[in-house]
Amino acid sequence: MSKYKILVIDDELDITDSITDYFSDHNIKAFNDPELALDCLAGEFHDILICDFKMPKLSGLELLFEAYRLKSYSYGILLTAFADKDLLEKVLNEKLVNKVIEKPLNLKALSSVLEESFKKKKKKENEKKDIERIKTCYNNLKMEIESRNKIIGLNKGLKEVYEKVLTAAPLNVDILLTGETGTGKELIAQLIHDLSPRKEYEFIKINCAAIPENLLESELFGYKKGAFSGAIMDKAGKIECADKGTLFLDEIGELQLDLQAKILRVIQDKEVVRLGTHKSVKVDFRLIAATNRELDSEVLNKNFREDLFYRINSFPLHLPPLRERTEDINDLVDFFIERICNEMNLHKLKIDQSLYHFFKTYSWPGNIRNLENSLKRAIILAAAKGKLEKSDFDFLLLENKQQLKSLETAYKIIGNSVINNECDLKDIHNFVIVEILKHFNDNVKEAVKKTGISKDKFYRGKNSISNIK
């Protein structure tokens, strides 16, 4: 029996009986009274409606108009002995029916029309399933991106960064992410990958500072069995694993010069050679590099290859420190409190509203990571009372006081050193300049912006200290 529901309406009993008998293996229902048929249509949907044109009480045209308004059928067939051209155009143009069959009725002709209607219904059902499947995949992907990339501030403090991400992500261009430690460079790299045409393939992360130098080359390029002691089998390197996907080189500024040269060749040739072999393997990857160093200064100081710098700096993206995006702090605090409490199986702690102002005025030298870790420490202290208060963050103020005491001690030591002719004020000035640069991760532009000290003084200070050393 066909799964499709068919409703037949004709005032002639012989016709309804003939149709129901001929199509007895179908899910079919028949009415001779159009008003009773309309009542049925008002309460029940039918896939196919077969309707006579000329009937007492209610014409077939009137019934079709009402049934169409009720959206109670999807495929209409009109039976008529009056082949009026204007009528046929009207019912077809109004989409009241899909086919018109002239009387006297030919059951074989009707059977052909029904088979055609079944095929169209099936096709629409498949198209609907495909659309639903696409929607499901899209929603799953969207949820996956949102869950993996809970980035606070895309519409506030990171709005400019996000707009650049949306511009660059679909393009096959290498990207250099810069910014202080803890500003979220890895999250932005993952977001770029998730919004790119390469999202179906791997996102391979390599922390150039975390892998020991003697293992970094084998991790990057892979190796052939027997290449060195312990190489008991062939192994693909991280770069090879990034084929068709994204290669994220975090802390690229920490690479030694000899490895920088090898990385440059891989980026330029898109080929990798495993240790212990001369055979090259083609790799197609999109490079995203990240650093907290001022790479143009590293180039001047011969610590970073100039050709590699210009190769990876096709599209630079700078992530601002937390102290420059204070509009995001409230959202970040609320997000971290909820997440940390969930991780510790605690009820969400309330927060003293005055704390928000304190958070916005604190410098957060470690940026978002510093904020998260401080909140975790404070939540542990405040869990019993169920509320975060300013006193729970006294450890931050204590750290500042300790820094001030250390500063006073340093002043005394420096003063005594000058008195005893152990150093002169110029050396002290240059050492202070270098220490300021360290605070800004050697970012001269950032240091100039925050301190007002000229760019030349920073470069002269660095060169002077290098000469002393």
Side-chain angles (χ1 to χ4, degrees):
M1 179 179 285
S2 171
K3 67 175 182 177
Y4 300 116
K5 295 171 70 174
I6 304 171
L7 186 67
V8 181
I9 311 160
D10 196 301
D11 60 314
E12 296 181 47
L13 183 60
D14 289 345
I15 291 180
T16 54
D17 286 346
S18 297
I19 294 174
T20 53
D21 287 343
Y22 192 87
F23 300 102
S24 58
D25 58 339
H26 290 67
N27 186 4
I28 194 164
K29 188 184 294 184
F31 285 92
N32 299 116
D33 187 329
E35 290 181 343
L36 291 177
L38 195 55
D39 289 340
C40 178
L41 286 166
E44 187 179 356
F45 179 85
H46 287 76
D47 298 286
I48 299 162
L49 178 60
I50 303 172
C51 180
D52 185 26
F53 171 64
K54 192 172 183 181
M55 296 182 292
K57 299 183 182 178
L58 198 66
S59 73
L61 196 57
E62 291 170 330
L63 186 143
L64 285 166
F65 268 118
E66 185 61 20
Y68 186 80
R69 186 187 66 80
L70 293 170
K71 297 180 180 178
S72 56
Y73 72 104
S74 60
Y75 193 96
I77 301 171
L78 181 67
L79 307 177
T80 179
F82 306 92
D84 185 289
K85 183 181 176 182
D86 294 334
L87 168 66
L88 298 182
E89 286 184 356
K90 182 176 180 62
V91 294
L92 290 170
N93 291 338
E94 295 283 349
K95 297 181 180 179
L96 299 177
V97 298
N98 302 83
K99 287 287 182 179
V100 177
I101 297 178
E102 293 186 22
K103 287 186 174 181
L105 179 62
N106 184 317
L107 292 172
K108 285 187 178 180
L110 178 58
S111 180
S112 297
V113 171
L114 283 177
E115 285 301 319
E116 181 185 339
S117 72
F118 295 155
K119 288 179 182 178
K120 287 187 176 181
K121 288 285 294 180
K122 186 68 177 176
K123 184 180 178 182
K124 282 187 177 181
E125 287 171 359
N126 290 336
E127 288 174 351
K128 187 177 180 181
K129 286 179 182 178
D130 289 339
I131 291 170
E132 289 301 321
R133 196 179 299 114
I134 292 168
K135 283 182 178 178
T136 301
C137 290
Y138 170 79
N139 289 330
N140 289 342
L141 177 61
K142 185 179 178 184
M143 287 173 66
E144 183 180 351
I145 290 172
E146 289 173 351
S147 63
R148 287 191 310 194
N149 301 291
K150 185 65 177 180
I151 304 176
I152 306 295
L154 291 182
N155 295 317
K156 293 181 182 178
L158 290 178
K159 184 176 181 181
E160 185 177 342
V161 171
Y162 187 48
E163 288 173 350
K164 290 180 179 178
V165 165
L166 292 176
T167 299
L171 308 176
N172 194 29
V173 59
D174 295 338
I175 294 175
L176 177 62
L177 300 174
T178 59
E180 297 176 12
T181 299
T183 50
K185 295 187 287 294
E186 184 180 344
L187 280 177
I188 294 296
Q190 180 73 63
L191 180 63
I192 293 169
H193 172 75
D194 288 337
L195 295 174
S196 77
R198 298 175 180 266
K199 61 181 178 291
E200 301 297 333
Y201 297 93
E202 294 293 324
F203 174 82
I204 301 295
K205 175 194 171 184
I206 302 170
N207 189 325
C208 301
I211 302 175
E213 188 179 339
N214 61 326
L215 297 178
L216 188 56
E217 193 167 355
S218 61
E219 284 292 315
L220 286 170
F221 305 114
Y223 51 80
K224 185 177 176 58
K225 180 181 177 181
F228 52 84
S229 177
I232 59 175
M233 59 188 297
D234 292 355
K235 182 183 176 183
K238 296 274 191 180
I239 296 174
E240 218 175 311
C241 293
D243 187 41
K244 296 185 176 61
T246 299
L247 178 66
F248 177 46
L249 293 180
D250 198 9
E251 306 297 351
I252 194 172
E254 308 302 319
L255 282 177
Q256 296 299 312
L257 286 168
D258 59 334
L259 267 179
Q260 290 178 27
K262 293 178 180 179
I263 287 290
L264 177 62
R265 277 200 302 274
V266 172
I267 295 171
Q268 287 178 335
D269 301 337
K270 291 296 174 72
E271 291 182 348
V272 65
V273 179
R274 295 184 185 181
L275 300 182
T277 181
H278 297 292
K279 184 180 179 182
S280 63
V281 178
K282 285 283 185 183
V283 284
D284 171 28
F285 60 84
R286 196 252 190 93
L287 177 69
I288 302 176
T291 182
N292 57 16
R293 291 180 176 272
E294 183 77 8
L295 287 187
D296 50 3
S297 299
E298 295 295 312
V299 169
L300 289 174
N301 293 324
K302 308 298 182 184
N303 294 325
F304 200 84
R305 292 181 63 101
E306 184 177 18
D307 47 5
L308 178 58
F309 171 65
Y310 288 117
R311 185 64 183 79
I312 65 176
N313 197 32
S314 303
F315 191 86
L317 261 177
H318 180 70
L319 273 64
L322 186 56
R323 61 184 171 274
E324 289 184 9
R325 39 180 293 219
T326 54
E327 64 267 45
D328 298 328
I329 284 184
N330 287 11
D331 292 337
L332 284 165
V333 169
D334 292 341
F335 170 72
F336 284 133
I337 289 175
E338 183 172 355
R339 190 171 80 177
I340 293 166
C341 288
N342 286 337
E343 288 173 354
M344 295 183 177
N345 292 319
L346 297 171
H347 291 295
K348 185 178 178 182
L349 271 65
K350 295 180 181 179
I351 182 169
D352 190 320
Q353 293 300 305
S354 63
L355 267 174
Y356 288 114
H357 176 71
F358 168 68
F359 292 145
K360 288 180 179 179
T361 55
Y362 190 73
S363 61
W364 302 113
N367 294 293
I368 297 171
R369 197 173 297 131
N370 189 185
L371 172 64
E372 181 182 6
N373 291 336
S374 298
L375 282 167
K376 185 176 291 186
R377 181 173 171 182
I379 286 170
I380 293 170
L381 296 171
K385 62 183 176 181
K387 183 178 182 180
L388 282 172
E389 297 172 335
K390 195 169 183 180
S391 59
D392 298 314
F393 294 87
D394 283 348
F395 61 88
L396 291 175
L397 301 175
L398 182 61
E399 287 172 5
N400 281 349
K401 288 179 181 178
Q402 288 172 343
Q403 288 174 2
L404 289 173
K405 286 182 180 179
S406 299
L407 193 59
E408 289 175 6
T409 304
Y411 287 150
K412 290 178 182 179
I413 294 171
I414 291 169
N416 290 331
S417 297
V418 173
I419 292 168
N420 297 325
N421 294 317
E422 294 172 356
C423 65
D424 60 36
L425 288 174
K426 284 185 179 179
D427 292 339
I428 293 166
H429 174 271
N430 291 331
F431 276 114
V432 171
I433 284 290
V434 171
E435 288 303 314
I436 292 172
L437 270 176
K438 285 181 181 177
H439 173 78
F440 293 102
N441 297 305
D442 282 347
N443 189 324
V444 174
K445 292 178 184 177
E446 185 69 21
V448 169
K449 182 178 178 181
K450 286 297 178 182
T451 65
I453 299 170
S454 71
K455 187 176 181 179
D456 291 340
K457 284 186 178 180
F458 282 113
Y459 285 124
R460 282 201 301 269
K462 285 187 71 173
N463 291 333
S464 297
I465 294 301
S466 297
N467 292 334
I468 290 171
K469 293 178 178 178

